[in-house]
Each structure stands twice: as C-alpha cells, then as structure tokens.
C-alpha cells in the first residue's frame, strides 16, 4: 500500500508534515509506504534532522511548485501542474499510490479530485465528510461539511446514500442509521429544501432513514450518518472542534471533549470521487498528520469508494 502526502501543504509545512510522517512510519505495517511529495532537497534535510530510521518506508517524489492557501484553486492547478498537489493527483490518477492526503489548499484538493480522478458516475456532487464523536463511543459521519454550501434535495438524499455505504464499510455498521439535520424532529419542519430532502430520504430503499435530528443531538449517538448542506455542516463541525481548545484554555480535561480535537482523526475524506482523497486542517500538527495517514490506510482497506460506485451504478 502506498499513501501519498503533500509535504508542502499546510500552515506549518513542510516541517510539521515531515515530522508527522516520521511519527507515522515508526508504527506502520511493513507493507505500507508513505510517498512524500514536494521539494526534494528540503524534505531530505528534514528527514535527516529527524534521524528517520524508517527511510525504507518513505519515498520522496520531487515537485517544484507549491499552491499557497490563498490561491484560486482552478487557476493555480492549471498554472502549476508541477505543484505538490498537482503531482499528487497525477500519481493517484495513474494508480501509483492508493491515497493522496494534504493539509494544503482545500479548494485545490477538491477541484484536483474532480479534474483528475473525477466524480463517480451517478454522483451529483462529491462532498467532504467529517467524523463527529458520539457520546456512546465511535463516530458518526457527517456530510457535507463544506464542499457544497447550497444543496438541492436530491443532493442531500444522495449524501445519505453515500454516507450510509461509507459507514457500513469504514465502521462495520450493518445498517447505518441515517438522519437529516433539521430545526425540529417533526417531518414537516425546516426549509422547503429540508422538507423535500426528508421525503426523498424517507422513500429511499437503500438506507435506514430514522428521520430528523436537531443540533442538540449532534453528539448523542442517535445516528451513524448525519446529512446536511455544506454551509450548515461546516458551521456545526467547526463549532464542535472549538470545544477542545476552549476546555484546554479553561483547564478542563475530559475524555469525550478530547475526541473533538481535530488532531484525533486528522482529516476528512472527499466522498463521491474515484479514489481515496483526504483533506487535513491547514493548521495540522505532526500528530494530526500521523492520524491522517492512519485514516487513509483504513479507508484504502475499506475500499469504500468502489462500493459506492457499485451501488450507484
């Protein structure tokens, strides 16, 4: 298995990325290789600095250019084909790696996935999924958390199907409970879009739809899949992530709140594309990068994107 990591993407790249990769490779199975993509001389110096004893499990692929956080995604990808993100997607498209991970420009990662490995046939809009810790243990998968701010009912209904398949193969849940995030539990509540999406989800024979949930149910272990538009999902997800630093600032230690720390999972997958793509926070620490790599390995083993393709076909 080969996991590609953008060494140049992120607020603290390349130092934090390389350190995280070294941390990860110290514990990886022998059949896993991490492919670091970026400026070879810079990466090489950092690997020497960390006295990496796992050199056999790390490969370096040179990419001269870097897409900065503030650059326009489409323009940057076309003008910088030799960027670390551009090279990463080429490797993924050519099946030289099994997954591509980056803490760099989120828009460039999303656009790069659409233009290289492309959306799965039948998918209306690929989305970004987030892992929401649940009070009874484990995580719920929430989608979308930012790729699609405005959604039609049909898109939300499909998110439910995609999330259900992903939860089934990633979490091992036989019949994932799918819920629609809304402003009330009653069927007639919410916007016109939410009401129409509710009916589509209810009528779907592919999922175990349990109805609406509210914001107060976010961590309550009521659902395995939480469906919402990218605007609402991004707002709720980032609110949830704010609990850990706030608790830490106030001297509060709690096992559950610690799970809301963005580092604990390390990344969010783009679902609905023909490959494994993981996006990490721009502020990612070495620990977050390590956990992002572990998430990528788990996702490759689950082979969820091919299962999604098979169902939607």
């Amino acid at each position: 298995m080969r996991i590609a990591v953008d060494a140049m993407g992120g607020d603290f790249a390349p130092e934090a990325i390389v350190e995280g990769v070294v941390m990860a490779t110290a514990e990886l199975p022998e059949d896993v290789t991490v492919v670091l993509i970026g400026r070879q001389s810079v990466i090489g110096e950092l690997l020497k600095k960390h006295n990496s004893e796992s050199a056999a499990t790390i490969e370096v692929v040179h990419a001269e250019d870097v897409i900065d956080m503030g650059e326009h995604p489409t323009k940057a990808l076309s003008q910088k084909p030799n960027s670390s993100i551009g090279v990463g997607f080429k490797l993924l498209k050519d099946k030289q790696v099994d997954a591509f991970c980056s803490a760099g420009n989120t828009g460039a990662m999303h656009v790069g996935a659409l233009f290289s490995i492309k959306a799965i046939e039948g998918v209306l809009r690929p989305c970004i999924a987030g892992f929401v810790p649940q009070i009874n243990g484990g995580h719920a998968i929430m989608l979308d958390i930012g790729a699609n701010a405005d959604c039609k009912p049909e898109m939300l209904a499909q998110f439910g199907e995609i999330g259900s398949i992903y939860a089934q193969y990633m979490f091992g849940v036989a019949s994932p409970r799918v819920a629609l995030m809304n402003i009330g539990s009653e069927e007639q509540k919410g916007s016109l879009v939410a009401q129409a999406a509710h009916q589509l989800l209810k009528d779907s024979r592919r999922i175990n739809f349990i109805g609406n949930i509210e914001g107060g149910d976010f961590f309550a272990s009521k659902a395995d899949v939480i469906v919402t538009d990218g605007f609402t999902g991004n707002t709720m997800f980032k609110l949830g992530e704010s609990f850990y630093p706030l608790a830490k600032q106030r001297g509060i230690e709690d096992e559950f709140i610690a799970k809301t720390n963005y580092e604990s999972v390390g990344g969010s997958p783009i679902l609905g594309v023909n490959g494994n793509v993981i996006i990490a926070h721009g502020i990612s620490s070495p620990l977050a990068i390590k956990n992002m790599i572990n998430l990528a390995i788990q996702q490759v083993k689950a082979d969820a994107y091919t299962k999604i393709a098979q169902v939607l076909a």
Side-chain angles (χ1 to χ4, degrees), residues 154-165:
E154 294 80 9
M155 292 166 58
L156 293 173
Q158 192 174 75
F159 291 167
E161 294 181 1
I162 291 172
S164 180
I165 300 165

Side-chain angles (χ1 to χ4, degrees), residues 6-54:
D6 173 13
M8 313 307 290
D11 295 346
F12 305 112
E15 290 83 359
I17 312 302
V18 174
E19 184 179 347
V21 166
V22 172
M23 288 172 60
T25 53
E27 303 173 4
L28 292 183
E30 292 182 358
D31 63 338
V32 177
T33 298
V34 177
V35 181
L36 271 168
I37 305 168
R39 291 170 182 158
Q40 195 163 18
S41 59
V42 175
I43 296 171
E45 287 299 317
L46 287 169
L47 288 173
K48 287 181 183 178
K49 175 184 174 182
H50 291 289
N51 297 316
S52 175
E53 297 177 357
S54 54

Side-chain angles (χ1 to χ4, degrees), residues 2-261:
R2 293 164 61 81
I3 307 297
V5 177
D6 173 13
M8 313 307 290
D11 295 346
F12 305 112
E15 290 83 359
I17 312 302
V18 174
E19 184 179 347
V21 166
V22 172
M23 288 172 60
T25 53
E27 303 173 4
L28 292 183
E30 292 182 358
D31 63 338
V32 177
T33 298
V34 177
V35 181
L36 271 168
I37 305 168
R39 291 170 182 158
Q40 195 163 18
S41 59
V42 175
I43 296 171
E45 287 299 317
L46 287 169
L47 288 173
K48 287 181 183 178
K49 175 184 174 182
H50 291 289
N51 297 316
S52 175
E53 297 177 357
S54 54
T57 59
I58 298 175
E59 290 184 15
V60 180
V61 173
H62 181 68
E64 184 61 33
D65 295 327
V66 178
I67 294 178
D68 296 325
M69 289 297 204
E71 290 192 71
H72 187 279
T74 307
K75 187 181 295 183
L77 283 166
S78 62
Q79 293 178 348
K80 296 180 177 179
N82 293 319
S83 66
S84 52
I85 290 179
V87 171
F89 276 116
K90 185 178 187 305
L91 293 175
L92 187 63
K93 180 182 178 181
D94 294 342
K95 299 193 181 300
Q96 295 182 45
V97 297
D98 299 292
F100 177 43
C101 311
S102 176
N105 187 307
T106 298
M109 287 294 290
H110 196 256
V111 171
L114 291 176
F115 277 89
S116 60
I117 55 175
K118 304 186 184 307
I120 290 170
E121 186 176 357
V123 169
L124 300 172
R125 290 280 185 88
C127 57
I128 302 174
F131 297 89
V132 182
Q134 299 297 290
I135 197 69
N136 290 345
H139 291 81
I141 187 83
M142 182 166 73
L143 58 174
D144 186 15
I145 64 163
N148 305 282
D150 296 298
C151 293
K152 295 180 179 179
E154 294 80 9
M155 292 166 58
L156 293 173
Q158 192 174 75
F159 291 167
E161 294 181 1
I162 291 172
S164 180
I165 300 165
Y166 187 83
Q168 185 177 349
Y169 289 95
M170 277 291 285
F171 301 155
V173 182
S175 181
R177 298 162 298 165
V178 179
L180 178 66
M181 182 57 67
N182 209 327
I183 59 172
S185 59
E186 298 87 354
E187 187 171 337
Q188 68 274 17
K189 282 292 183 74
S191 65
L192 294 176
V193 170
Q195 291 178 40
H198 185 286
Q199 192 60 48
L200 291 173
L201 288 161
K202 182 180 177 181
D203 292 343
S204 176
R205 296 182 179 180
R206 291 176 171 173
I207 61 172
N208 174 22
F209 182 57
I210 61 168
N212 294 333
I213 60 171
E214 302 177 65
D217 303 318
F218 195 48
F219 302 117
S221 299
K222 289 187 176 181
D224 303 297
V225 179
I226 302 171
V227 175
T228 188
D229 61 87
F231 184 92
T232 305
N234 188 275
T235 302
M236 293 192 69
F237 196 70
K238 288 180 177 175
L239 174 63
E241 287 182 333
S242 73
F243 293 168
Y244 175 75
L246 180 62
K248 189 175 180 181
Q249 182 182 342
R250 296 176 65 84
I252 299 170
E253 290 188 15
D254 180 86
E255 184 179 355
F256 175 77
I257 292 178
K259 292 179 181 179
T260 67
N261 180 9

